Amino acid sequence: MGMDMEKKNKGKKLFVFNSFTGLVQLIISAVLIIVCLPVFLKILGKDLYGVFSIVSVIGNLAIYANLSLDAALIKFISEQGKCKESDNDIVVMFLLMLSFLLPLSVLIFLFNDFILLSILSVPTEYLSEGKALLFWLILANLLLLLGKVFTSIVEAKQKIYLTNFASFIYSLIYWGGSAFVLLAGKGLKGVGVTIFVAAVIWFFLVMFAACKNWGRLDLGGLRFQFKASAKKQLKYSTKIYTGSLLSFLYEPLTRILISNFIGIADVGFYDIALRIKSQVLTLFYRLLQPLYPTIAIMKDIAKIRTLAEKLTNGLLFVVIPVVVLLIFCTEPIITLWLKEGNISLISQTTIILIVVNLLFSIPFTPVYCFLRAKNHPEKEVYIQSVNSIVNASVLLIFYTVLGYYSVLLGNGLSIVCSGIMCMYFQYKYLGVLPLDTFKVKLKYILCFCVVFGAAALYSYYGYSISLQYIILQMILVGGVSLLAFYLFKVFDKKDLSLK
């Protein structure tokens, strides 16, 4: 009994430490982006930055050839532990990924002119720089994807803090190095080389971490077990992969459609909003990153149900102050930060993308992890299908009337629809809905109204494009949120427990 309790406490501490290191890594990465992105915009200009953004879509195309094998590997070796079958699975995954990635990378190299000019609509005057960037991005992403074998091992061992450290080093070289080479006049080719160097260093860091924590691989009899291991991993991962492939029809396709139908500069504005969105949402994903291997290990469905219910409701309340701050502080922050570009458009895009995701995506991370870890990966196909189809359809139907704003409408509606589908699956498989009682719903509405009202009142009387306004608004929203949570008794000790 004592050993079980000690094991549980150790697991909780590891969960918290993994989340904490993810948060620290994210904050440092966000600072790097805040410092370096204006350098990109100033030196490249809005059109060439748009080229950087759109070429990154194809540079990352290899990501969609990994068949989500990393997610399958985490599941299997988390459940199996260190054994011969797990050793076989690791080697088989590496070989499978290599066999998918190499042909796709070669095809992109061979047809780079057609891809850049005909699909991405890169202006001919920027073709040479686009080709140089594409070459190095393909090589970098080849390493980043093969490295997922090693990050899967480390995550299965629940030592995510090691991958967080490697990600920090990667971000430091990516952003800091890229800004330096741009200031040195090396252009997009220099940026591409820097990103490749960052990928090489990251690859060796995660490989070292995996080897140290897993130990030697027993490869005896692998050739006899290869087919069975490959079949097992492909059968599970291709269901996840179909959903991941459909996700290509979301943000990457959106960039391509913007480039073809609206303009290359607008791709850059959309990209900036996406990078801000990524930093905000990654804050939550980092904190929740240990959840997937944790659920993969758990066998008691009742405990998973309780965990999902607590986290979903808790996240819906936690995002309230973040949503309110985004609504009232985004434009002042971006104005002070960038000082140039279409500030209004970037601000509106940022608000829509982040707010909708905070309300309809982040709170359903637990059920998403459950579907992936507990033999329902095909449900991701439905979720991503709704996401992609709604987004692309709305954009194509309304772009002639709404122009760029069709992007915001499509992105927003698609996340709302996929969030509703996640709610359905949460109820179907776990029997719980978010804010499932009238009392909890009332608390949520009251908290949101109180926090929003306080921020709106201050904004009405004290709005300005200044650091003082932003800081005071943050203090006000944070303070009122804590007071509202306390008065309405939103959280108690039981809610903060992972039991």
Side-chain angles (χ1 to χ4, degrees), residues 367 370-371 376 378-380 382-383 418-433:
V367 70
F370 167 77
L371 293 174
H376 300 289
E378 71 280 356
K379 300 303 183 293
E380 289 187 41
Y382 306 147
I383 296 169
S418 60
I420 292 171
M421 182 163 282
C422 283
M423 263 190 275
Y424 167 74
F425 287 132
Q426 184 173 344
Y427 181 73
K428 180 178 179 180
Y429 292 108
L430 296 175
V432 292
L433 285 172

Side-chain angles (χ1 to χ4, degrees), residues 88 91-92 95-96 221-231:
N88 288 340
V91 177
V92 169
L95 295 174
L96 286 174
L222 175 62
R223 61 174 180 164
F224 301 109
Q225 298 298 321
F226 184 92
K227 185 176 179 180
S229 178
K231 185 177 180 181

Side-chain angles (χ1 to χ4, degrees), residues 20 60 71 100 138 164 175 233 235 240 290 350 391 448 452 460 499:
F20 174 74
N60 292 327
F100 291 123
I138 292 298
N164 288 335
W175 286 106
Q233 294 193 65
K235 183 179 179 181
I240 303 175
T350 302
N391 177 56
F448 199 100
F452 185 90
Y460 181 78
K499 290 183 181 180

Side-chain angles (χ1 to χ4, degrees), residues 64-107:
Y64 300 96
N66 79 336
L67 295 184
S68 296
L69 286 164
D70 55 320
L73 185 62
I74 293 173
K75 168 185 165 58
F76 290 128
I77 64 178
S78 293
E79 293 174 343
Q80 296 162 186
K82 178 74 169 77
C83 61
K84 192 173 187 315
E85 185 177 4
S86 293
D87 290 346
N88 288 340
D89 288 342
I90 290 168
V91 177
V92 169
M93 176 193 170
F94 189 90
L95 295 174
L96 286 174
M97 289 184 71
L98 195 62
S99 67
F100 291 123
L101 291 170
L102 284 178
L104 181 60
S105 298
V106 171
L107 284 173

Side-chain angles (χ1 to χ4, degrees), residues 95-310:
L95 295 174
L96 286 174
M97 289 184 71
L98 195 62
S99 67
F100 291 123
L101 291 170
L102 284 178
L104 181 60
S105 298
V106 171
L107 284 173
I108 295 173
F109 285 140
L110 292 176
F111 295 100
N112 61 81
D113 281 350
F114 172 77
I115 291 170
L116 292 170
L117 294 172
S118 300
I119 298 177
L120 303 183
S121 295
V122 172
T124 53
E125 60 267 31
Y126 301 127
L127 181 61
S128 61
E129 288 199 72
K131 288 173 71 172
L133 177 63
L134 179 63
F135 174 81
W136 291 108
L137 285 180
I138 292 298
L139 292 179
N141 281 292
L142 186 63
L143 289 175
L144 291 173
L145 283 165
L146 291 175
K148 282 181 173 289
V149 176
F150 306 119
T151 61
S152 297
I153 295 170
V154 177
E155 288 186 27
K157 299 289 286 185
Q158 298 194 29
K159 294 190 176 181
I160 297 171
Y161 59 89
L162 295 173
T163 59
N164 288 335
F165 173 74
S167 296
F168 159 68
I169 299 297
Y170 174 77
S171 297
L172 182 65
I173 300 171
Y174 183 112
W175 286 106
S178 295
F180 178 80
V181 299
L182 284 176
L183 289 169
K186 301 300 182 182
L188 287 184
K189 181 179 179 180
V191 171
V193 173
T194 303
I195 293 172
F196 173 70
V197 171
V200 171
I201 294 173
W202 174 88
F203 180 85
F204 282 107
L205 284 174
V206 295
M207 181 174 67
F208 175 77
C211 292
K212 185 175 181 180
N213 284 278
W214 188 261
R216 296 185 62 179
L217 297 173
D218 180 3
L219 303 182
L222 175 62
R223 61 174 180 164
F224 301 109
Q225 298 298 321
F226 184 92
K227 185 176 179 180
S229 178
K231 185 177 180 181
K232 176 182 71 173
Q233 294 193 65
L234 287 172
K235 183 179 179 181
Y236 195 86
S237 65
T238 48
K239 295 175 183 177
I240 303 175
Y241 173 67
T242 305
S244 300
L245 187 61
L246 286 167
S247 71
F248 180 75
L249 301 177
Y250 188 59
E251 287 176 2
L253 180 60
T254 301
R255 296 192 204 199
I256 295 171
L257 292 174
I258 293 172
S259 179
N260 279 274
F261 298 118
I262 300 173
I264 192 70
D266 291 295
V267 179
F269 300 145
Y270 181 70
D271 178 79
I272 293 169
L274 285 179
R275 291 186 186 276
I276 300 170
K277 183 201 84 169
S278 176
Q279 291 303 306
V280 175
L281 297 189
T282 302
L283 168 64
F284 292 92
Y285 290 136
R286 289 289 188 193
L287 291 172
L288 296 169
Q289 190 176 8
L291 191 60
Y292 177 56
T294 299
I295 290 178
I297 294 171
M298 294 173 71
K299 292 180 170 55
D300 189 338
I301 196 70
K303 290 184 178 180
I304 297 175
R305 180 187 301 113
T306 302
L307 180 63
E309 184 178 18
K310 286 181 181 180

Side-chain angles (χ1 to χ4, degrees), residues 348-383:
Q348 292 167 20
T349 306
T350 302
I351 292 170
I352 294 295
L353 294 183
I354 302 179
V355 167
V356 176
N357 273 280
L358 285 176
L359 294 174
F360 291 93
S361 179
I362 292 296
F364 300 106
T365 303
V367 70
Y368 210 86
C369 291
F370 167 77
L371 293 174
R372 177 170 286 194
K374 295 302 178 183
N375 303 312
H376 300 289
E378 71 280 356
K379 300 303 183 293
E380 289 187 41
V381 177
Y382 306 147
I383 296 169

